[in-house]
Amino acid sequence: MSRKNLETRNRILDATWKLLEERLDTGVRMADIARQAGISRQALYLHFSKRAELLIATTQYIDEMKGVDARLAPSRAAATGIERLDAFIDAWGNYIPEIYGVAKALLAMKESDEAAALAWSERMQAVRHGCEAAIKALARDGTLSPDHSQKQATDILWTMLSVRNWEQLRSECGWSQKRYIETTKLIARGTLVVEQG
Amino acid sequence: MSRKNLETRNRILDATWKLLEERLDTGVRMADIARQAGISRQALYLHFSKRAELLIATTQYIDEMKGVDARLAPSRAAATGIERLDAFIDAWGNYIPEIYGVAKALLAMKESDEAAALAWSERMQAVRHGCEAAIKALARDGTLSPDHSQKQATDILWTMLSVRNWEQLRSECGWSQKRYIETTKLIARGTLVVEQG
DNA sequence: CGATTACTTGACACGGTGTCAAGTGACTTG
DNA sequence: CAAGTCACTTGACACCGTGTCAAGTAATCG
């Protein structure tokens, strides 16, 4: 892939990102993206032959720009299970708003597009692994609530941290981001961590 | 509205219901519904001029058939707040699978259709009122957790009981319906009810 | 110089929604 | 019983968004 080609590709990804951020109505068409990137609709198709492909590439692009891995480092470095749980909720919970635009578009698309469904599912599995690691750390410390198996605890945390829950609490319920993070931490602790006597 | 007219209308609603139940892929088109109902596509449009209108009518039809109100009666009759919370989780949590087909279609539609978005939102507000009533009952009994305001507790319960959470736990996590209900009750209690000393 | 690369313009097929017009067959009702 | 209305049919068509195809252009490179 030549220099110019890559340059255009990045312009496209930037354009997609920007449009999905500002027009959350999911009414973002291929033609809009092409216009925003300053190229023809067909040039866009030369780079990404399907809309799903473009959306998937955009999420990866954002991950790269935002440095997901770096942001998850504190979570991995946590000494105790409880710290790890908090750090993970911080990291992922604060990452959601940054990817929300693309996430919403991808979520809408996965209903009808196989590739989009797969890409989203893989992404969510990665989050699940983060949840699982936190739960395992709790189990190791003996601080995992006896109410739940590791699997069940992971399922619960993963579900609590879904993009749709974030969406509902922030948009429908009018919670601030800070409130979302803190309340989620509180509930996660109360539900997943053993009562201390 | 004449007898025959009403008869056809019901055939349409039954057909829609059935197709949405068995083909959860959301790939249910107006033509499919018409065929299933044994009428022409245009006759379908004579009864419901928009797809959104048909979906909305179908949810109302299902509510009527299933008797939502009756199912919520035990919740309203509960003596204590805790009983009311449990009864509400039972009622709504077990209702979700029965409306899941249409719910999914409506959820998909609300992204692009204003009327669908409104209808869904109203429906969810009704559920929210149920949550609110349960929380108020806890507050009245003095059993509401001091960690949350009534508003916040309502938001939490409402979000816990979302269709998407049910979907994730049942489909992605493989939980049984029974497990879903029981674990939801457990978490709701742990989170929303004051610790007894 | 000629070939390749990156892009443009414009046309078009497809699938799904929603509309329009003309026609048919049945069942009211003056 | 004739006229009208009601419920529906058939078939065409416009619109939109995705994705494809073909021909042309302008810059770059060996």
Side-chain angles (χ1 to χ4, degrees), chain A residues 2 5 8 40 43 47:
Chain A
S2 71
N5 200 328
T8 305
S40 67
H47 287 266

Side-chain angles (χ1 to χ4, degrees), chain A residues 146-159:
Chain A
D147 288 343
H148 312 288
S149 68
Q150 287 191 29
K151 156 83 167 73
Q152 178 161 308
T154 303
D155 290 343
I156 291 167
L157 181 58
W158 185 46
T159 301

